[in-house]
Amino acid sequence: LLARARAALLGPPPVPRAALVLNGSAGRYVALVLSGEGAPMALEWAFGERRGTMLGLPSPQEATRLELAVADLLEPQLLRSIGFANRGGFERLWLGQAIHGRYQERALADDPTYRREVALRHVFPHRGWEVSLHGRADGVRKEADGALVIEEIKSVRREGQLSAATRAIYERQARLYAWMLGQVEGRPVAAELVLIAIGSDAVERERLDADFAGLEIDIRRRLNALFAEHRRERRAASDRQRAGEKQHEQLLNAHEA
């Protein structure tokens, strides 16, 4: 969260660069410059008043890997529509955590197959990238026939109705966790919303339909949008870098003149 706030305030970080520099007498040097984002290698040189740059092959890079949380695959407009403050702020958060904990303790006591706060990770390729998706499911249980069920636990106001945006986010989270666990286990996994009423702890279960083929299409569409955003940020960073280099060169020329 802090990293995202910093990026929003200060913009994306500058393009990382490294250089091997051979210095000669005053005003003479040769430098091999590598970019951390794959831009061509550059051989920069200056011999007194004569200077220049030669571009070579793309800078070497490690395998492209993208680390994402499940929240990154939720639609941004839906997340903005419910917001932290609209969900009751810290008081509502603490109350929800207490309700979650009581439910999970009872589930552990009643069902020997139950697991709570299950860390999930699924790695898969997409358009030349290795995507590592991680998250934490509220609960996982095994039914009598051996089928696995993901539980997405949410506390709700007594007799209150979830807004369409809130329900859409809750359901998508549950389906994403079920899809991830299904990919890891190699078999279908059911998804279920567990809605707990604040004040009475009454539990309502909603089994969700699971169109995992359609969900995977949506996941890859969201990844395409994230990649497009990444490319725009890289272009903007590259434009700023070129502008800075041009300004630096102008200052050097003005100083020498």
Side-chain angles (χ1 to χ4, degrees), residues 100 103-104 107-108 111 113-118 120 136-143 148-154 170 173-175 177-178 181 189-196 203-208:
H100 276 55
Y103 170 85
Q104 290 170 327
L108 287 170
D111 184 354
T113 72
Y114 189 83
R115 293 178 290 156
R116 68 176 179 180
E117 304 300 329
V118 179
L120 299 174
R136 187 178 299 274
D138 291 333
V140 178
R141 71 174 193 271
K142 184 180 292 185
E143 299 194 318
L148 294 175
V149 180
I150 283 280
E151 291 185 349
E152 180 69 12
I153 306 169
K154 298 298 181 184
Y170 291 171
Q173 281 181 308
R175 291 188 178 102
Y177 289 133
L181 184 58
V189 175
E192 189 174 87
L193 276 184
V194 179
L195 304 177
I196 306 174
V203 176
E204 179 184 353
R205 299 181 183 276
E206 295 185 15
R207 184 64 63 96
L208 304 177

Side-chain angles (χ1 to χ4, degrees), residues 41-73:
M41 292 183 287
L43 181 65
E44 299 180 1
W45 52 271
F47 300 105
E49 296 181 355
R50 301 177 62 186
R51 62 182 64 241
T53 301
M54 298 175 60
L55 299 180
L57 297 173
S59 299
Q61 290 182 288
E62 298 180 356
T64 49
R65 181 181 177 92
L66 182 64
E67 289 277 349
L68 291 177
V70 165
D72 295 317
L73 297 184

